[in-house]
Amino acid sequence: MGLKELFKSGDLTVDLASVFDASPNPYVLLTPDLRIAGMNQAYLNVTGATREAILGKPLFDAFDSGPGEDAPENVRQVKASLEKARDTGQRDHLAVVRFSIARRQANGADTFEDRFWSATHTPIFDDAGEVVFLLQHTTDITELETLRNRGRTATEASALDSVVSGAVLGRAEQVQEDNRRLETERNQLVELFMQAPGFIAVLSGPDHVFQMHNMAYAQLIGHRDIAGKPLVEALPEIESQGFIPLLDTVLATGEPFEGRSLGVQLQRSPDAPLETVWVDFIFQPIRDADGQTIGVFVQGHEVTESVLADERQKLMIDELNHRVKNTLATVQSIAMQTARSHADPRTFAEGFQARLLALSHTHDLLTRRNWEGADLGDILQHETEAHGASRVSTNGPRVALAPAAALSLGMIFHELATNAAKYGALSAQDGRVLVDWSIADPTRPRLKLVWRETGGPPVTAPDRKGFGSRLIERNVRHDLAGEIELDYPSGGLTVTISVPLEREPDL
């Protein structure tokens, strides 16, 4: 609505700007940022200002309530009322407010005169429903306050209060003070609500319309615009997950519902896939003055990390149990096969202990890497370093082995090194072992490893296979699903092993 809009009644056309200016009641028109957009003559008369001096200026630059120590509080009250009318779109009233006005003296100096006012602040909307102006209607009630507070007898005071509405003003002041106190308390509660670490939302009515939600809730759902929207519209992915029937039940029965470690799928950013979030929560009924359930208070906190940690712990315990069982089975097999090859208890103990140590070495490597795997070169070094680093030469790229493959190859390298130390190249002073490996076919990686002994005593093929040979062949063919060739040229044993790297055998 512009100041020059015309009001037509029959043949009579009235300029509303003239009506506004002729009103005996003081009015000032403000923009949403509280700049003076217009005023009538009554406002200029009561404030002692000129149109040119204040038009377009911020209200509290034009009128700042003077230098008194109460001035900031006076300004705060008026500003708060104007902002409330602007932000809520509702008329707001100040029953009584103290606000000093500058008066120009004859000598040109300005002094500030204490005045008391009653004010009403009304939002003015455009066709789109947006607040475009604020209309302040002020009434100077200084004389009433002066009469009411002047010293007099109780009888005079009672009669005078009735005449000048002092009692009414007193009650208005009390109500206004109570409202300010309640507003402060409400703001504090809202601040606590918004900053609460757990997520909170208030849902209203059978459609579960979002009335309020805090920052934690906004973060949970990806900061979507949900205010004033029904749940199915605000969070459409929720509709098929069973939470709406739970809310309906709370609304119908008035009984709360508590959920523990429940998964909910949410789209936490635009165009992102659904993400499972785990939450603890409670749906608490909200009742009106008659005890009827009118909404649901949602409160809870995200426990995704705790749930995933519990799952990881359970998985680790299950995996540990599996590994322990398989390790015990391996130890049992080593014990039985070693016993068959050694009738003497002393030699049995030596062979059995050496194989357990080999198994332990590989376990140590895996433990250092949280059982995510081990490097082939590290395992080979662990199992051969007791025979001298200069006597075992290795050549090949870094190869990351899965835990099961690492354990099997660790046992294989131990048996080969032990055999070389007893009967092969490492039993002679000048003997050496050369180990070369490579990766073939990158699309389906396959490890090819050649163990070649040289400089040792002459070699002949054995008449029968010992435990070491059987253990090596069993690990390659059964545990690693690979192939092995053992050649016995006179110059030294050659072992060729080929295993796939993609397969992860059971531990």
Side-chain angles (χ1 to χ4, degrees), residues 200-501:
I200 300 174
V202 176
L203 306 177
S204 176
D207 293 330
H208 313 300
V209 176
F210 281 96
Q211 297 296 313
M212 293 181 70
H213 66 286
N214 70 345
M215 293 300 296
Y217 196 94
Q219 184 175 4
L220 179 73
I221 63 171
H223 297 281
R224 282 179 271 183
D225 181 15
I226 62 173
K229 296 180 180 179
L231 180 60
V232 292
E233 179 184 342
L235 306 174
E237 68 269 31
I238 293 293
E239 187 171 8
S240 61
Q241 297 185 48
F243 291 96
I244 293 178
L246 292 177
L247 289 166
D248 292 341
T249 300
V250 173
L251 206 59
T253 65
E255 296 294 328
F257 174 84
E258 187 173 3
R260 292 289 182 184
S261 299
L262 293 185
V264 53
Q265 290 189 308
L266 293 171
Q267 188 176 30
R268 306 187 80 175
S269 60
D271 301 323
L274 292 178
E275 177 183 344
T276 300
V277 179
W278 301 89
V279 293
D280 286 349
F281 67 92
I282 185 169
F283 292 158
Q284 189 76 33
I286 301 172
R287 294 181 173 86
D288 61 14
D290 298 326
Q292 298 297 315
T293 304
I294 58 173
V296 178
F297 182 74
V298 180
Q299 181 181 11
H301 57 279
E302 184 179 347
V303 294
T304 302
E305 287 300 320
S306 297
V307 170
L308 294 180
D310 289 344
E311 290 181 352
R312 285 194 296 268
Q313 184 179 40
K314 183 179 182 301
L315 181 63
M316 289 177 65
I317 291 173
D318 291 344
E319 187 176 349
L320 179 60
N321 287 334
H322 182 65
R323 289 174 183 168
V324 168
K325 290 178 181 178
N326 281 284
T327 300
L328 289 175
T330 301
V331 171
Q332 183 181 29
S333 175
I334 292 172
M336 293 176 62
Q337 294 295 332
T338 305
R340 291 175 185 173
S341 304
H342 299 274
D344 178 48
R346 185 180 62 81
T347 58
F348 162 77
E350 291 175 354
F352 182 61
Q353 183 179 16
R355 288 173 177 129
L356 287 185
L357 285 174
L359 190 63
S360 174
H361 287 161
T362 309
H363 269 259
D364 287 342
L365 282 175
L366 291 170
T367 301
R368 291 175 198 168
R369 299 192 179 182
N370 298 318
W371 276 79
E372 295 178 356
D375 180 69
L376 172 64
D378 291 341
I379 297 172
L380 187 58
Q381 179 184 354
H382 254 70
E383 299 303 335
T384 61
E385 62 185 355
H387 306 288
S390 63
R391 303 191 66 190
V392 180
S393 299
T394 60
N395 178 44
R398 294 188 65 85
V399 178
L401 298 172
L407 288 171
S408 292
L409 284 170
M411 292 299 298
I412 290 170
F413 295 150
H414 169 75
E415 294 300 328
L416 289 172
T418 300
N419 184 74
K422 287 183 177 181
Y423 315 110
L426 298 180
S427 66
Q429 184 175 358
D430 296 328
R432 295 184 63 201
V433 176
L434 308 176
V435 186
D436 297 278
W437 67 89
S438 60
I439 304 297
D441 191 359
T443 59
R444 301 181 63 184
R446 193 173 186 88
L447 170 67
K448 182 178 180 181
L449 183 143
V450 178
W451 174 288
R452 187 168 66 255
E453 299 182 17
T454 181
V459 173
T460 58
D463 296 332
R464 62 181 182 84
K465 291 182 180 179
F467 170 62
S469 298
R470 291 196 303 272
L471 188 146
I472 291 172
E473 291 188 0
R474 181 184 182 280
N475 272 277
V476 172
R477 294 196 172 104
H478 179 267
D479 294 344
L480 299 177
E483 300 172 357
I484 182 171
E485 294 181 9
L486 289 86
D487 295 322
Y488 299 91
S490 60
L493 172 68
T494 299
V495 181
T496 303
I497 297 173
S498 175
V499 297
L501 291 179

Side-chain angles (χ1 to χ4, degrees), residues 29-31 33-37 39 51-63:
L29 197 65
L30 305 169
T31 61
D33 61 352
L34 307 186
R35 289 181 176 273
I36 298 174
M39 77 296 296
R51 193 180 306 272
E52 294 75 16
I54 64 174
L55 187 64
K57 292 186 66 175
L59 176 65
F60 299 109
D61 284 355
F63 305 103

